[in-house]
Amino acid sequence: MRLPRRLGSAALLIAAALSAAYFAHISRLSQNPAARAKAVPPAPIGLPETEPPPASSQAGNADNAPPIVRAARRQIGQTVRYDPAYTALDYPMGDVPIEKGVCSDVVIRALRQQGIDLQQLVHQDMKANFSAYPKRWGLKRPDPNIDHRRVPNLEAYFARQGWAVQDEYRAGDIVSWRLTGSGLPHIGIVSDRKSGDTPLIIHNIGAGTREEDILFRHEIVGHFRQPALAAP
């Protein structure tokens, strides 16, 4: 069936006008990056456009986590950089500014919230048993500014106090490693959250306190648990 001549002409004019408007819009977007970005919002970096983060990485109830885990997690967003510089500290309960620190500071700060001051405890034990501690730094006597912030000293103290365990990794446990490649000592706290079946670790390995899947990425050399938490 043929359209009346006038109706056919009108349809052609409308189609031409719509086509011109469309190409004019595309042309403006191509010349205006801001408008193009607004018209097509980018997908979140590191995540698929249509899939949420894996549920396993969100597992764990912060309210039910052991106190040491909650205390460590509160450091996320507060401690934002890694700074190993030697610093003169108050004694006892001395600390560097919360926005910086090293891996051991995550543990030290979390345990202080449980009434355990590793600065004082390690210093007292080293004064009484200096020969039981590593001799890696050429010290002839204890130094309360730095001794408790050194992972090998914490490993020695925890072992001497009966914190070492050899069973499954539980939320609130303290783990120490020797980093792959460098062999440097590292320490962190086992989280109540998991990636699959692997517990996450709250630690500071260079970019501030974070909660990450690193438990089995390096050689584990120490596994410790507060004696009050050791019973099933």
Side-chain angles (χ1 to χ4, degrees):
M1 181 177 68
R2 293 186 179 180
L3 291 172
R5 184 182 298 273
R6 288 184 180 179
L7 183 57
S9 299
L12 290 173
L13 288 173
I14 292 171
L18 289 175
S19 178
Y22 171 79
F23 285 108
H25 175 68
I26 294 299
S27 177
R28 284 196 302 273
L29 287 180
S30 65
Q31 296 173 13
N32 187 342
R36 185 170 66 249
K38 184 176 181 180
V40 184
I45 295 175
L47 294 176
E49 290 188 50
T50 58
E51 296 182 12
S56 59
S57 68
Q58 303 300 314
N61 187 325
D63 292 335
N64 294 331
I68 186 176
V69 174
R70 297 200 302 268
R73 188 172 287 137
R74 284 195 293 269
Q75 299 175 41
I76 299 172
Q78 295 191 68
T79 305
V80 295
R81 59 193 174 95
Y82 187 97
D83 185 350
Y86 180 94
T87 305
L89 303 176
D90 293 337
Y91 179 85
M93 301 293 285
D95 197 3
V96 296
I98 187 63
E99 65 267 14
K100 65 180 181 178
V102 294
C103 60
S104 56
D105 290 317
V106 177
V107 177
I108 293 165
R109 289 164 175 161
L111 284 174
R112 274 189 175 149
Q113 298 301 309
Q114 322 314 311
I116 299 173
D117 180 13
L118 286 174
Q119 181 193 29
Q120 184 175 33
L121 293 172
V122 170
H123 181 63
Q124 290 175 343
D125 196 49
M126 289 188 74
K127 282 178 66 177
N129 305 279
F130 190 68
S131 62
Y133 283 81
K135 302 295 184 294
R136 298 178 52 177
W137 305 282
L139 298 178
K140 298 182 190 269
R141 59 185 178 276
D143 181 349
N145 295 303
I146 192 66
D147 287 334
H148 63 298
R149 301 181 71 203
R150 288 173 164 155
V151 173
N153 285 341
L154 290 182
E155 292 169 338
Y157 176 79
F158 290 146
R160 286 176 51 76
Q161 301 305 313
W163 288 40
V165 291
Q166 296 182 344
D167 55 14
E168 76 279 6
Y169 294 96
R170 302 181 190 173
D173 287 359
I174 297 168
V175 179
S176 62
W177 302 262
R178 294 300 179 265
L179 298 181
T180 302
S182 68
L184 291 173
H186 187 57
I187 198 166
I189 295 172
V190 178
S191 170
D192 60 320
R193 297 175 179 169
K194 295 183 177 182
S195 175
D197 294 328
T198 303
L200 302 182
I201 298 293
I202 304 175
H203 69 141
N204 181 357
I205 202 170
T209 305
R210 297 187 175 186
E211 191 165 14
E212 299 177 310
D213 179 7
I214 64 108
L215 177 58
F216 299 119
R217 294 187 184 178
H218 307 282
E219 178 191 3
I220 296 173
V221 297
H223 180 193
F224 310 101
R225 184 176 300 142
Q226 291 175 253
L229 303 177

